Amino acid sequence: MSGVLVLDRAQTRAALDPHRVMDAVARALIAVSRGEAFAPPRVAARAPGGLLGVMPGYVPGLGLAAKLVSVFVDPAQAGRSSHRGIVALFDPEDGRPLALLDAESLTGIRTAAAATHSALALAVPRPGRIAVLGAGAQARAQLALLALLDPTTPVAVAGRDPRRVSAAAGLHPAAEPASSAETAVRGADVVFCCTGAVRPVIRRDWLAPGTHVSSVGGSHGPEVDPDTVQDALLFTEWPGAHTAVPPAGAHELQDLPEGKTVTLLGSVLAGTHPGRRDETGLTLFKSTGHAALDVAAAHVAHAVAVREGWGTTVDL
């Protein structure tokens, strides 16, 4: 095929087969942990209403891609933000552009896939209840993926807008709206934080022994409270999550106490790190997003679209 394959939002979403994305994201996380992937820290140009981030990356066996994504606060809805943009996939052998994809759809599922891998690898066996905080695009992506992979474990969904919470909960057959974040979190074995918060949305004293927390929000500020960060074993996608300043690094992982270590999730998936130490300690996966995950999802979407004959080919 010559030219560049362009997929609109619906086509991108349809081409992101969840099972294949889960497999590809695991491969990307392992490649990052082994130092095989190349992705420089994200850079961003700030505008009055938000930022434009640039995330290029290469993963052997998956490809070469770059994402341009804008993260802008919604002035009509305090505390909410949008993530819009495009992902360009290139041939890693000769540099030809292969495809342009919708970044919002791609970001949602690759982030949910990484968060789900963290829960599968780090949570206590057979969790009895899950909490999802948030009702926006990322929370909906997380709920949809959980519904596909684990439709029977009860899920409590909490957010600020009851109507949006009810709509999000409707994506999972075992999900119910919760009256508050605290109500959702107390008694949960796994907590997914998927918000646009600028301050923590959970508190350490809400968490039961052995809880796993996966935090994928917090582009504009910390989503997890300092006490939880202090008490939990910490896991991330890449080393820069705690060594780079935001927006590349995580707000929560700045200035960690001496001796506080951070482990790459890919090393747990690869079997080179044991992950959880016992069934009573806390584990925290803090995601900042990583270009290797964009590469993984773009690889899947391109392969599926080519196979199905979807999209429009243009000469660029």
Side-chain angles (χ1 to χ4, degrees), residues 49-50 71-82 220:
V71 182
F72 273 61
V73 174
D74 186 343
Q77 304 181 81
R80 294 183 186 154
S81 60
S82 63
H220 303 287

Side-chain angles (χ1 to χ4, degrees), residues 4-5 23 27-28 31 38 40 50 75 87 97-98 107 128 134 140 147 189 197 199 204 210 225 249 258 265 268 289:
V4 179
L5 185 65
D23 290 343
R27 289 173 60 189
F38 183 82
V87 175
L98 299 176
T107 300
R140 294 194 299 270
D189 298 304
R199 59 184 61 87
R204 171 65 182 90
D225 66 305
E258 185 177 352
L265 177 59
V268 181

